[in-house]
Amino acid sequence: TAATAHGHHPRAGSRSGSVAGGGENRPTFGKLLPLVKQGTDLVKYGRNGSPKLRFVRIVYQKANVADGRTIDMPYLTWAKNVKAAPTAMLPLLELREVTRGATTPNFKRNSKHEVVGERGEAVPAQQCFTLNFAERPVDFYAPGPEDFDTWYQFMKLVLHRNRELEQEADDADAA
């Protein structure tokens, strides 16, 4: 599928303005959630095979919790395209680490040991990130800097929330 002049896939909605920054412009969970629920095309680097363009988004599904309640549980999903069923779903509560850059072997599997996109083109490592879930790591490249900022900042906020929840659980256990 052909990319646009700016490296975005036609389905990848370009964001107006960067969400990165400091002070009053610092992104919040509430501002980023609608963007990641809408979804974006990102290049996923798998454990096997070449990098693939995938439609990535956050979805909520009903889940039963230990006390018998049903809650909306957030998941990271990806699919071959916006209309396809997700090929994977990882619970955001199991996110353990977010790493910026092309730091895993999945990114540098080619003979030149450089990061390449789905068509074999060199891509900027600063737009790559790894999400380490309890189950496994997942590596992505965001074709646009705005999309990188949105996903990276959102996942850092998720990680922060997860750590707060773990601390609350530890504090409750200690009481």
Side-chain angles (χ1 to χ4, degrees), residues 18-39:
S18 176
V19 295
E24 294 177 20
N25 294 329
R26 173 163 273 136
T28 64
F29 192 85
K31 288 179 183 175
L32 296 175
L33 182 60
L35 299 174
V36 296
K37 283 176 67 176
Q38 175 185 333

Side-chain angles (χ1 to χ4, degrees), residues 131-169:
L131 304 174
N132 286 301
F133 286 88
E135 184 180 323
R136 65 186 176 116
V138 185
D139 300 308
F140 290 107
Y141 161 68
E146 298 88 2
D147 291 330
F148 170 83
D149 287 343
T150 297
W151 281 96
Y152 183 75
Q153 295 297 330
F154 178 78
M155 291 311 224
K156 292 294 275 187
L157 289 168
V158 168
L159 183 63
H160 181 73
R161 278 190 167 191
N162 287 354
R163 289 182 176 156
E164 285 178 342
L165 290 171
E166 287 174 13
Q167 185 61 48
E168 288 173 14

Side-chain angles (χ1 to χ4, degrees), residues 3-79:
T4 64
H6 297 293
H8 286 83
H9 188 273
R11 288 190 319 262
S14 179
R15 314 286 184 234
S16 59
S18 176
V19 295
E24 294 177 20
N25 294 329
R26 173 163 273 136
T28 64
F29 192 85
K31 288 179 183 175
L32 296 175
L33 182 60
L35 299 174
V36 296
K37 283 176 67 176
Q38 175 185 333
T40 310
D41 282 329
L42 299 175
V43 177
K44 181 182 169 295
Y45 291 76
R47 294 167 284 193
N48 304 305
S50 60
K52 305 269 191 296
L53 191 66
R54 294 291 180 249
F55 185 72
V56 181
R57 70 175 134 198
I58 301 300
V59 299
Y60 284 82
Q61 286 197 343
K62 299 283 185 206
N64 296 321
V65 290
D67 64 5
R69 292 178 300 130
T70 301
I71 62 169
D72 286 329
M73 183 76 71
Y75 291 86
L76 173 73
T77 69
W78 58 88

Side-chain angles (χ1 to χ4, degrees), residues 61-106:
Q61 286 197 343
K62 299 283 185 206
N64 296 321
V65 290
D67 64 5
R69 292 178 300 130
T70 301
I71 62 169
D72 286 329
M73 183 76 71
Y75 291 86
L76 173 73
T77 69
W78 58 88
K80 288 186 178 184
N81 59 57
V82 68
K83 294 180 181 179
T87 55
M89 294 182 68
L90 294 172
L92 290 186
L93 285 174
E94 294 184 8
L95 182 65
R96 301 291 183 251
E97 185 179 0
V98 179
T99 307
R100 182 180 195 144
T103 58
T104 67
N106 287 343

